[in-house]
Amino acid sequence: KENPKAVSYLAIAFLFQTGLRSGEVVALETTDYDTENRTLSINKSECRGFEFVGEGEMKFSGVFVGAPKKNSSKRVIKLSDEACDILDMVIQANKDNGVSDGNYIFVYDNHRIQANCLDKRITRICNNLGLLKRSPHKIRKTVLSELVNCSVNERICDLSSIREYAGHVDESTLL
């Protein structure tokens, strides 16, 4: 509540807790979060639009929230206590600060934050700490590797469950 800009930091913490794609995180809506069952429905993602402007030529037309590229990306995941705490904190801060952009969870200045905002924030954090640049995708890979090693969530240790959790079609993508 004290610092509404902290929403991007909380989104990054949520990336570390869940291993979701950054486009999936910024597309989350309150209706995707089942507080009773502590689950999250992943059914959309931030997308980049392009349009044809000539023969073989495309132009960027904007960012929007839409269906994920693959059906396997649609899934329901079980959340850790820490991940639920982050969502609860952001949703409550949005209410307390009168911030909203429809039902989106990660909102700043009445606009849904975008995936590139998370990437820029992570780059800034790494630079400030003198670390090599990291990306949301690198965070995702780290979380999924830890799941494979059964270090993050003891309930999801077999490769098939991890594949479903990650929204992958093939288990070999995890290895």
Side-chain angles (χ1 to χ4, degrees), residues 28-30 94 99-105 107 110-112:
L28 290 173
E29 296 181 283
T30 54
N94 288 347
V99 176
S100 101
D101 181 5
N103 288 323
Y104 292 111
I105 294 174
V107 178
N110 289 324
H111 297 286
R112 175 187 65 81

Side-chain angles (χ1 to χ4, degrees), residues 47-62 64:
C47 307
R48 299 184 164 285
F50 293 90
E51 59 185 284
F52 289 103
V53 292
E55 194 170 314
E57 207 176 318
M58 290 176 42
K59 175 182 152 192
F60 177 69
S61 62
F64 63 95

